[in-house]
Amino acid sequence: MEFSKKTKIIFYTLVLIFSTYIGYILGNAFCTNNCFLSVLSNVLLTNLITLSGVYVLINLSEKSITEWNEEHQDEEE
């Protein structure tokens, strides 16, 4: 089973919004002499990490749901 494209877009959009906000807060908190670079680098790093994590979690979820469905189909036969 795979999640629909609409569901994936919703997940990725929500994660992108929240991780951008978290990166912005971190960038301002650790701002030294060039705040723009600090904010930008924190936003990019946070987005990269969270989006890759969500990608892995979605793929693992789809795989485990597929395996669970296959096991239950075998039990019914």
Side-chain angles (χ1 to χ4, degrees):
M1 186 199 115
E2 290 187 12
F3 292 114
S4 68
K5 288 185 180 187
K6 184 178 178 181
T7 305
K8 287 182 182 181
I9 289 173
I10 291 171
F11 284 148
Y12 286 121
T13 303
L14 286 173
V15 167
L16 189 63
I17 289 169
F18 286 117
S19 65
T20 300
Y21 176 70
I22 291 169
Y24 175 76
I25 297 295
L26 287 173
N28 283 328
F30 297 115
C31 177
T32 53
N33 46 356
N34 191 350
C35 288
F36 177 74
L37 278 177
S38 178
V39 170
L40 183 65
S41 63
N42 277 297
V43 167
L44 291 175
L45 184 64
T46 306
N47 284 339
L48 177 69
I49 291 170
T50 55
L51 287 176
S52 62
V54 168
Y55 176 77
V56 169
L57 288 174
I58 286 176
N59 285 335
L60 287 173
S61 297
E62 290 174 345
K63 183 178 178 183
S64 65
I65 291 170
T66 302
E67 289 176 359
W68 188 80
N69 285 337
E70 289 174 357
E71 286 178 8
H72 279 75
Q73 287 177 353
D74 292 340
E75 290 175 2
E76 290 176 1
E77 293 176 352

